[in-house]
Short mmCIF file of all heavy atoms in Angstrom, two decimals:
data_model
loop_
_atom_site.label_atom_id
_atom_site.label_comp_id
_atom_site.label_asym_id
_atom_site.label_seq_id
_atom_site.Cartn_x
_atom_site.Cartn_y
_atom_site.Cartn_z
N SER J 1033 18.80 -68.99 156.35
CA SER J 1033 20.11 -68.57 155.82
C SER J 1033 20.12 -68.79 154.34
O SER J 1033 19.20 -69.43 153.75
CB SER J 1033 21.24 -69.38 156.51
OG SER J 1033 21.10 -70.75 156.21
N GLY J 1034 21.16 -68.25 153.68
CA GLY J 1034 21.32 -68.49 152.24
C GLY J 1034 20.94 -67.32 151.35
O GLY J 1034 21.14 -67.38 150.15
N GLY J 1035 20.43 -66.27 151.96
CA GLY J 1035 20.09 -65.11 151.13
C GLY J 1035 21.34 -64.37 150.66
O GLY J 1035 22.45 -64.71 151.01
N GLY J 1036 21.12 -63.41 149.79
CA GLY J 1036 22.21 -62.65 149.24
C GLY J 1036 21.81 -61.81 148.07
O GLY J 1036 20.63 -61.63 147.77
N LEU J 1037 22.83 -61.28 147.40
CA LEU J 1037 22.61 -60.48 146.22
C LEU J 1037 22.95 -61.28 144.97
O LEU J 1037 24.00 -61.94 144.91
CB LEU J 1037 23.54 -59.23 146.24
CG LEU J 1037 23.58 -58.34 145.05
CD1 LEU J 1037 22.26 -57.73 144.80
CD2 LEU J 1037 24.67 -57.27 145.18
N VAL J 1038 22.02 -61.31 144.04
CA VAL J 1038 22.18 -62.08 142.84
C VAL J 1038 21.65 -61.32 141.65
O VAL J 1038 20.72 -60.50 141.81
CB VAL J 1038 21.48 -63.47 142.98
CG1 VAL J 1038 19.98 -63.29 143.13
CG2 VAL J 1038 21.84 -64.39 141.83
N GLN J 1039 22.21 -61.54 140.47
CA GLN J 1039 21.68 -60.94 139.26
C GLN J 1039 20.44 -61.63 138.79
O GLN J 1039 20.25 -62.81 139.03
CB GLN J 1039 22.73 -60.89 138.14
CG GLN J 1039 23.90 -59.97 138.46
CD GLN J 1039 24.83 -59.87 137.25
OE1 GLN J 1039 24.95 -60.80 136.45
NE2 GLN J 1039 25.53 -58.75 137.10
N ALA J 1040 19.65 -60.89 138.05
CA ALA J 1040 18.45 -61.47 137.49
C ALA J 1040 18.83 -62.69 136.64
O ALA J 1040 19.83 -62.65 135.93
CB ALA J 1040 17.71 -60.43 136.64
N GLY J 1041 18.02 -63.73 136.78
CA GLY J 1041 18.32 -65.00 136.08
C GLY J 1041 19.17 -65.96 136.91
O GLY J 1041 19.33 -67.13 136.54
N GLY J 1042 19.69 -65.45 138.01
CA GLY J 1042 20.51 -66.32 138.90
C GLY J 1042 19.69 -67.20 139.81
O GLY J 1042 18.47 -67.23 139.76
N SER J 1043 20.43 -67.91 140.68
CA SER J 1043 19.79 -68.86 141.59
C SER J 1043 20.33 -68.66 143.01
O SER J 1043 21.45 -68.20 143.20
CB SER J 1043 20.10 -70.31 141.13
OG SER J 1043 19.61 -70.54 139.86
N LEU J 1044 19.51 -69.02 143.95
CA LEU J 1044 19.89 -69.11 145.37
C LEU J 1044 19.18 -70.26 146.00
O LEU J 1044 18.05 -70.62 145.56
CB LEU J 1044 19.55 -67.81 146.11
CG LEU J 1044 20.39 -66.56 145.91
CD1 LEU J 1044 19.75 -65.36 146.64
CD2 LEU J 1044 21.81 -66.78 146.43
N ARG J 1045 19.74 -70.80 147.07
CA ARG J 1045 19.06 -71.83 147.85
C ARG J 1045 19.02 -71.33 149.29
O ARG J 1045 20.03 -71.12 149.93
CB ARG J 1045 19.74 -73.18 147.79
CG ARG J 1045 18.89 -74.26 148.48
CD ARG J 1045 19.44 -75.63 148.33
NE ARG J 1045 20.41 -75.92 149.38
CZ ARG J 1045 20.61 -77.14 149.89
NH1 ARG J 1045 19.94 -78.17 149.44
NH2 ARG J 1045 21.55 -77.35 150.77
N LEU J 1046 17.80 -71.17 149.76
CA LEU J 1046 17.62 -70.76 151.16
C LEU J 1046 17.45 -72.02 152.03
O LEU J 1046 16.91 -73.03 151.61
CB LEU J 1046 16.34 -69.91 151.29
CG LEU J 1046 16.30 -68.67 150.41
CD1 LEU J 1046 15.01 -67.87 150.73
CD2 LEU J 1046 17.49 -67.83 150.56
N SER J 1047 17.94 -71.91 153.23
CA SER J 1047 17.85 -73.00 154.22
C SER J 1047 17.06 -72.53 155.43
O SER J 1047 17.14 -71.35 155.81
CB SER J 1047 19.22 -73.47 154.63
OG SER J 1047 19.94 -74.00 153.55
N CYS J 1048 16.37 -73.46 156.04
CA CYS J 1048 15.58 -73.18 157.24
C CYS J 1048 15.99 -74.26 158.25
O CYS J 1048 15.69 -75.45 158.06
CB CYS J 1048 14.14 -73.29 156.93
SG CYS J 1048 13.03 -73.22 158.36
N ALA J 1049 16.64 -73.87 159.34
CA ALA J 1049 17.08 -74.79 160.36
C ALA J 1049 16.10 -74.72 161.54
O ALA J 1049 15.92 -73.57 162.12
CB ALA J 1049 18.50 -74.49 160.77
N ALA J 1050 15.56 -75.80 161.95
CA ALA J 1050 14.64 -75.83 163.08
C ALA J 1050 15.33 -76.57 164.23
O ALA J 1050 16.02 -77.57 164.04
CB ALA J 1050 13.34 -76.55 162.71
N SER J 1051 15.15 -76.05 165.44
CA SER J 1051 15.72 -76.72 166.64
C SER J 1051 14.69 -76.64 167.76
O SER J 1051 13.84 -75.74 167.77
CB SER J 1051 17.02 -76.08 167.02
OG SER J 1051 16.82 -74.72 167.34
N GLY J 1052 14.80 -77.55 168.70
CA GLY J 1052 13.93 -77.57 169.82
C GLY J 1052 12.79 -78.55 169.67
O GLY J 1052 12.26 -79.01 170.69
N ARG J 1053 12.30 -78.83 168.49
CA ARG J 1053 11.29 -79.79 168.23
C ARG J 1053 11.60 -80.47 166.88
O ARG J 1053 12.29 -79.90 166.06
CB ARG J 1053 9.90 -79.13 168.17
CG ARG J 1053 9.38 -78.54 169.45
CD ARG J 1053 9.02 -79.58 170.48
NE ARG J 1053 7.97 -80.49 170.07
CZ ARG J 1053 6.67 -80.21 170.18
NH1 ARG J 1053 6.25 -79.07 170.67
NH2 ARG J 1053 5.78 -81.10 169.76
N SER J 1054 11.03 -81.63 166.68
CA SER J 1054 11.23 -82.30 165.43
C SER J 1054 10.44 -81.67 164.30
O SER J 1054 9.23 -81.45 164.45
CB SER J 1054 10.82 -83.78 165.53
OG SER J 1054 10.89 -84.42 164.30
N LEU J 1055 11.09 -81.37 163.21
CA LEU J 1055 10.43 -80.76 162.07
C LEU J 1055 9.36 -81.68 161.52
O LEU J 1055 8.42 -81.20 160.88
CB LEU J 1055 11.48 -80.46 160.99
CG LEU J 1055 10.99 -79.78 159.70
CD1 LEU J 1055 10.39 -78.40 160.07
CD2 LEU J 1055 12.13 -79.58 158.74
N SER J 1056 9.47 -82.98 161.74
CA SER J 1056 8.53 -83.94 161.14
C SER J 1056 7.08 -83.72 161.62
O SER J 1056 6.18 -84.23 161.00
CB SER J 1056 8.98 -85.38 161.48
OG SER J 1056 8.93 -85.58 162.86
N PHE J 1057 6.91 -82.96 162.70
CA PHE J 1057 5.57 -82.72 163.20
C PHE J 1057 4.84 -81.60 162.51
O PHE J 1057 3.66 -81.36 162.76
CB PHE J 1057 5.59 -82.45 164.73
CG PHE J 1057 6.02 -83.60 165.55
CD1 PHE J 1057 7.14 -83.57 166.34
CD2 PHE J 1057 5.25 -84.77 165.59
CE1 PHE J 1057 7.50 -84.61 167.14
CE2 PHE J 1057 5.60 -85.86 166.41
CZ PHE J 1057 6.78 -85.77 167.16
N SER J 1058 5.52 -80.90 161.62
CA SER J 1058 4.95 -79.68 161.08
C SER J 1058 5.09 -79.62 159.58
O SER J 1058 6.12 -80.01 159.04
CB SER J 1058 5.60 -78.44 161.70
OG SER J 1058 5.02 -77.25 161.17
N ALA J 1059 4.06 -79.00 158.98
CA ALA J 1059 4.31 -78.49 157.59
C ALA J 1059 5.31 -77.36 157.67
O ALA J 1059 5.66 -76.88 158.77
CB ALA J 1059 3.00 -77.97 157.03
N LEU J 1060 5.81 -76.98 156.53
CA LEU J 1060 6.79 -75.90 156.48
C LEU J 1060 6.42 -74.97 155.34
O LEU J 1060 6.02 -75.39 154.25
CB LEU J 1060 8.17 -76.51 156.22
CG LEU J 1060 9.40 -75.59 156.24
CD1 LEU J 1060 10.63 -76.40 156.64
CD2 LEU J 1060 9.62 -74.89 154.93
N ALA J 1061 6.49 -73.70 155.60
CA ALA J 1061 6.14 -72.72 154.58
C ALA J 1061 7.19 -71.64 154.48
O ALA J 1061 7.91 -71.32 155.46
CB ALA J 1061 4.80 -72.08 154.88
N TRP J 1062 7.31 -71.09 153.29
CA TRP J 1062 8.16 -69.90 153.09
C TRP J 1062 7.23 -68.73 152.71
O TRP J 1062 6.32 -68.87 151.94
CB TRP J 1062 9.14 -70.14 151.95
CG TRP J 1062 10.26 -71.06 152.29
CD1 TRP J 1062 10.34 -72.42 152.10
CD2 TRP J 1062 11.51 -70.67 152.93
NE1 TRP J 1062 11.54 -72.89 152.55
CE2 TRP J 1062 12.29 -71.86 153.07
CE3 TRP J 1062 12.05 -69.47 153.37
CZ2 TRP J 1062 13.58 -71.86 153.64
CZ3 TRP J 1062 13.31 -69.48 153.93
CH2 TRP J 1062 14.06 -70.66 154.10
#
């Protein structure tokens, strides 16, 4: 989540929610 439309030079923060297993067991990549 967290995507959207932004002007050049702007900022966004994307989020990644994991469920079903603990995130601590895995690396994470975008």
